[in-house]
Amino acid sequence: GMALVWVSVSATTRPTTTTSTRPVITTRRPTSTCPRITAICSRTSPKVCGRSPRGQCQRFRNVCELAEANRRKNPAGVRHTRDLDCKGVRGVGPAHRRACHEPCPKRPRVCQRTAAEKHICVRSRNGKECKVLANKCQLSNQNCHSQPRNNWLRTDKRRCGQLQLGDKTQECIKLPHPTTRRTTRRTTRRT
């Protein structure tokens, strides 16, 4: 009985002497910020969506790239989010960063009145019809709750011409293409 107690106590306590027969195992922290499972950070790993506190979404090549961006604070405070938030983000990297996708509410929002100079001009997706809306809230309601859905995009105010808020849609005014003047450099000879 006493031998069993001695074996169990000696197995749970470490010897206090510096001479030990067990090899000393040291653990090093990995230098990379990637998770320990490297399989999720391989080239075939799926792209992930990251959301910044300002509501900007960006696609990353994998979770490791997102973690590295967060560590470098570029963008600051980015966190992993659902893939739906990156709907409309076409490519990978900061050049393709844009506002996160927000799904439509069940009911139209109540929009505030806006001064006439702040009204916005919108065009249909095919670029043929234009109309004036009060603000982004009204544009969201148009895209979410009228048919066809997601048909209206903000455009240059000049394309609406003399249209006012409440007027029926009309054909968009075609804007002149910007012409770039060619500048020729004259070379002067030094004598």
Side-chain angles (χ1 to χ4, degrees), residues 90-161:
R90 301 223 183 263
V92 174
H96 301 282
R97 190 180 302 150
R98 59 180 294 169
C100 296
H101 173 73
E102 292 187 31
C104 291
K106 291 182 180 179
R107 293 192 179 105
R109 295 180 186 140
V110 177
C111 301
Q112 294 180 349
R113 290 182 174 254
T114 314
E117 60 270 4
K118 294 196 176 182
H119 291 171
I120 59 174
C121 179
V122 296
R123 66 167 177 83
S124 58
R125 282 211 178 265
N126 63 11
K128 293 181 178 177
E129 296 178 318
C130 282
K131 65 179 175 180
V132 174
L133 296 177
N135 47 36
K136 286 184 189 176
C137 174
Q138 201 173 22
L139 175 60
S140 173
N141 283 343
Q142 282 286 314
N143 281 330
C144 288
H145 302 288
S146 55
Q147 295 295 327
R149 290 181 74 163
N150 295 319
N151 189 44
W152 299 99
L153 301 167
R154 196 168 177 172
T155 188
D156 192 319
K157 251 186 174 177
R158 296 176 295 168
R159 295 194 72 186
C160 283

